[in-house]
Amino acid sequence: MASEHKPFVHLRVHSAYSLLEGALTVEKLAALARADGAPALALTDTNNLFGALEFAQKASKAGVQPIIGCQVSVDFGDAGQGGVPARRHDAPLPSILLIAANETGYGNLVRLVSRAYMDSPVGDSVHVPVDWLADLAGGIIALTGGSLGPVDELIETAHDAAVARLAQLKAAFGNR
């Protein structure tokens, strides 16, 4: 009996453009996706879209539908409050995955990431304050990141804070 291959699409893929997180070139990622029979692949480097154009070109050429996204560090503004641990200055902020669902979403993703680089305070890591998300959520799909995401990390220790974070994300992305 032949096994039926169910195509799978990876939505959290980091390339060499995510320093210390990915090592593969976008060309290699596209080739691997094609070899695996993946119909599509998402490039979601951390806090940047540096490889987006190159990835779109290489993936399309390989016959793989490119999906553009970004893993974005988010400051929920709740550190040290309601059971949320205070954040050391050098500790990473929690992140969510944002995926462009259409051209509007891609434009909004570009605006968010650009604004994060331009408007993050000097000395801080690149990030977006949670209140920016509502203004630029159109055409974007948000994934909270599962057990390592900004909601799940608080469920056991600070349930009310987890619910508040989820409410903030739902307000930004919920009914689109």
Side-chain angles (χ1 to χ4, degrees):
M1 180 162 147
S3 68
E4 185 178 324
H5 180 290
K6 300 279 186 189
F8 180 80
V9 176
H10 288 277
L11 296 178
R12 185 181 291 263
V13 177
H14 292 146
S15 73
Y17 289 105
S18 283
L19 297 178
L20 303 176
E21 295 176 355
L24 298 176
T25 65
V26 293
E27 185 171 21
K28 181 70 172 175
L29 290 170
L32 289 170
R34 180 179 173 91
D36 195 37
L41 182 68
L43 182 67
T44 54
D45 284 318
T46 301
N47 292 322
N48 78 70
L49 296 167
F50 302 152
L53 177 60
E54 180 185 358
F55 172 69
Q57 293 169 336
K58 302 288 184 180
S60 294
K61 185 176 179 181
V64 175
Q65 173 67 48
I67 300 170
I68 304 299
C70 190
Q71 180 177 318
V72 178
S73 300
V74 179
D75 184 352
F76 284 88
D78 58 2
Q81 303 170 23
V84 177
R87 189 175 78 82
R88 293 187 341 253
H89 183 71
D90 61 342
L93 287 163
S95 62
I96 60 174
L97 197 68
L98 302 178
I99 296 174
N102 53 36
E103 190 175 337
T104 298
Y106 176 74
N108 282 336
L109 194 55
V110 168
R111 286 178 195 87
L112 264 175
V113 172
S114 296
R115 188 171 177 195
Y117 274 89
M118 300 298 291
D119 294 346
S120 288
V122 174
D124 279 5
S125 60
V126 174
H127 68 278
V128 299
V130 71
D131 58 334
W132 290 1
L133 297 175
D135 294 336
L136 295 168
I140 294 177
I141 299 166
L143 305 175
T144 62
S147 63
L148 299 176
V151 175
D152 284 16
E153 73 179 1
L154 296 178
I155 285 179
E156 289 186 30
T157 60
H159 182 267
D160 291 343
V163 170
R165 282 185 175 184
L166 191 57
Q168 288 176 303
L169 293 171
K170 184 179 180 188
F173 296 101
N175 296 316
R176 300 197 184 261

